[in-house]
Structures are given as structure tokens and as C-alpha cells.
Amino acid sequence: MNTRTVTAHIPVELAEAVDAAAARLERPRGWIVKQALQSWISLEERRHQMTLEGLRDIEEGRVHSHQEIKDWIASLERD
């Protein structure tokens, strides 16, 4: 796998948390950072897809009014 170095300035507290995780897991700091970035990218990609799905729902008229939602919540409270 090809790799590339990325440099970032991060708060001292975050750097210390990375160091602590690396020590606890007996892994290099780079491995901790790579795992964190992979996780964040995955979550961000999913968030973006969900946003696009929501926008398509709006464009296609798959929406509910505020009153419909309030009525639905009230029905849940009665049951």
C-alpha cells in the first residue's frame, strides 16, 4: 500500500490522549491516528449519504408536517 505523511497541529490534550492510547494498546501513535481517521471518514461518508437520501426524500415529497409528527408522538404516549 502506498502511504503519505500528513502533518497536523492538534491540541496538547489530544496528543496526550493519542500517546496514552498507543501505550495502553502497545501500538505506534501512527496506528492510533490512522484508526481514528478511518473511523471518522467512514462516519462522515455515512452522514453525507444520509443527508443526500434526506434531500431526495424532500424532493420526492416524502415528508410529514410538524403537526403529523406531534400527533404521532401523542399517539405513542397514549399507548
Side-chain angles (χ1 to χ4, degrees):
M1 170 194 336
N2 291 334
T3 62
R4 185 171 129 191
T5 300
V6 176
T7 303
H9 290 270
I10 61 173
V12 171
E13 296 81 16
L14 182 55
E16 290 170 349
V18 169
D19 290 342
R24 185 178 68 253
L25 297 172
E26 298 180 355
R27 293 287 197 155
R29 282 181 297 201
W31 185 88
I32 302 296
V33 171
K34 185 172 92 173
Q35 296 299 311
L37 284 171
Q38 286 174 331
S39 179
W40 184 84
I41 292 293
S42 178
L43 288 171
E44 180 59 21
E45 287 173 353
R46 180 65 185 133
R47 184 203 62 78
H48 180 66
Q49 288 305 313
M50 291 173 69
T51 299
L52 295 176
E53 290 171 17
L55 291 172
R56 276 192 299 276
D57 284 343
I58 292 168
E59 288 173 2
E60 296 175 12
R62 292 189 300 262
V63 297
H64 297 280
S65 71
H66 181 71
Q67 189 59 49
E68 288 174 316
I69 299 301
K70 286 175 64 174
D71 293 344
W72 174 69
I73 290 170
S75 77
L76 293 175
E77 292 170 350
R78 286 191 300 268
D79 296 340

